[in-house]
Amino acid sequence: AKVAGKSCYRFYSRAMDQAVERRVRMEQDLRGAWDRGELSLAYQPIYRLGDGQLVGAEALLRWHHPEQGSIAPSVFIDVAEQSGLIETIGPEVLRVACNDAVRWHTQFNRGKELFVSVNVSPRQLRSGELPDQVATVLRDTGLPASQLHIELTETAVIGDEVHASALLARLRSTGVKVWLDDFGTGFSGLSHLRRVPVDGVKIDRSFVSDVLRDPDDLALTTAIIAMAHSLGITVIAEGVEKEGQYAILRERGCDLAQGYWIGHPVNVQEFCGLLA
Ligand code: C2E
Ligand code: CA
Ligand code: CA
Ligand code: CA
């Protein structure tokens, strides 16, 4: 038993070494990825449920690794977050997204009022530099502040609500809109919305995917919409994959929606194709 235990330990330790090694390697590769042109943004269209109009797009980071092909953001964003690389990648994302949005406004009739929505990680928020970065990028690109939306996850603001609320207030004073992403998953409860100043909430995909078959998820979604509206907060549903989900969300008064049923994330050229 002793021997088995020992080899077992060696096995796990080797597997762990490999995992650590992979992470370190990924971090090194990610470091120069912008400069080598491996990172880009995809845009997923966002529609208004009332009239079906295209109103904006969410910017989603893509990494095309020269050997490994495309790597999921859920994997490399985590590495960027933990290594601190997000503090250089984040501002780049902001800049590219705002530049692209300005082009939609100036080049396309149908692009005149579109907003662009940018994901910001907890670490970027906590660094405290975000409000200044946002102000700078708006000034440099000329994008109207109201056309930039910042998406923060619930977890970024939970825990340290006083600090987070102050940062959000500073952020909103630049004129940008702040959205709470993955809403409903953090168990923060709806009462949270009264204390944290946001313009919108994104109902998490896990609720949206079940609105047709789980009465609890439909009830919760309906309650989020009603509560948010009573506080003057806009509601968007993400992960709409079926016509029936779209229909029921629209019937319940949800404001905006995005998802594979309405539009996949596409590269910037393809997105411009939607506007032409
Ligand atoms: P998220 O912010 O919740 O983004 C939505 C994710 O859902 C995206 O995955 C999108 O491609 C996917 N999606 C959209 N519609 C549907 C649908 O109908 N069904 C399903 N099953 N999925 C759908 P993606 O692009 O892989 O991004 C994953 C996560 O990585 C994002 O989740 C976000 O947290 C993070 N992320 C992406 N880009 C950035 C970025 O520029 N900065 C930061 N900090 N995080 C980012
Ligand atoms: Ca998001
Ligand atoms: Ca989300
Ligand atoms: Ca469920």
Side-chain angles (χ1 to χ4, degrees):
K2 215 172 174 186
V3 175
K6 215 170 176 183
S7 70
C8 209
Y9 168 76
R10 249 199 323 266
F11 170 76
Y12 282 123
S13 136
R14 192 166 345 111
M16 260 163 64
D17 283 351
Q18 280 168 356
V20 169
E21 207 178 293
R22 262 203 309 277
R23 263 187 110 79
V24 170
R25 181 73 194 276
M26 183 173 286
E27 189 188 321
Q28 279 166 356
D29 289 351
L30 195 53
R31 206 165 281 279
W34 264 119
D35 297 337
R36 291 191 300 271
E38 295 165 14
L39 291 171
S40 64
L41 295 182
Y43 293 99
Q44 183 172 35
I46 296 175
Y47 292 87
R48 191 159 52 213
L49 282 162
D51 58 5
Q53 280 294 310
L54 177 65
V55 292
E58 178 176 9
L60 294 161
L61 194 55
R62 296 289 176 258
W63 184 13
H64 190 83
H65 190 283
E67 288 137 34
Q68 295 165 43
S70 83
I71 300 178
S74 55
V75 175
F76 73 81
I77 293 283
D78 193 46
V79 171
E81 176 82 4
Q82 300 204 6
S83 63
L85 273 173
I86 195 73
E87 286 177 44
T88 53
I89 293 173
E92 291 288 345
V93 168
L94 205 53
R95 185 163 300 274
V96 173
C98 290
N99 263 322
D100 284 339
V102 167
R103 277 207 295 140
W104 304 336
H105 291 182
T106 53
Q107 290 182 0
F108 302 96
N109 240 332
R110 295 188 55 200
K112 275 197 166 54
E113 318 238 291
L114 294 187
F115 64 79
V116 70
S117 201
V118 175
N119 292 286
V120 165
S121 74
R123 185 163 181 156
Q124 280 175 276
L125 181 70
R126 274 196 305 270
S127 84
E129 287 165 26
L130 192 63
D132 288 341
Q133 283 169 3
V134 164
T136 304
V137 81
L138 290 174
R139 199 187 52 227
D140 292 352
T141 61
L143 183 71
S146 60
Q147 305 312 105
L148 174 61
H149 296 192
I150 299 291
E151 297 190 11
L152 298 162
T153 54
E154 254 184 308
T155 44
V157 297
I158 289 167
D160 194 1
E161 284 170 34
V162 176
H163 184 58
S165 296
L167 276 170
L168 293 197
R170 266 180 69 210
L171 200 52
R172 289 175 84 216
S173 73
T174 64
V176 302
K177 299 214 185 314
V178 174
W179 287 79
L180 224 44
D181 204 354
D182 304 341
F183 189 74
T185 55
F187 302 104
S188 59
L190 292 167
S191 63
H192 200 73
L193 285 181
R194 282 174 33 236
R195 277 172 288 147
V196 180
V198 296
D199 300 280
V201 293
K202 259 195 179 186
I203 302 178
D204 190 65
R205 198 162 68 221
S206 58
F207 301 109
V208 173
S209 73
D210 265 2
V211 285
L212 293 174
R213 45 165 197 248
D214 185 340
D216 290 343
D217 286 334
L218 180 58
L220 191 77
T221 299
T222 308
I224 291 174
I225 295 169
M227 172 82 171
H229 283 174
S230 75
L231 296 168
I233 292 170
T234 308
V235 184
I236 178 167
E238 68 175 2
V240 177
E241 294 180 348
K242 298 192 176 101
E243 183 171 12
Q245 293 165 346
Y246 184 93
I248 205 161
L249 287 161
R250 183 182 162 157
E251 177 210 295
R252 297 297 159 116
C254 184
D255 303 292
L256 309 176
Q258 69 187 105
Y260 295 162
W261 187 71
I262 347 177
H264 283 260
V266 293
N267 67 35
V268 67
Q269 287 83 5
E270 288 172 288
F271 188 75
C272 287
L274 296 175
L275 306 175

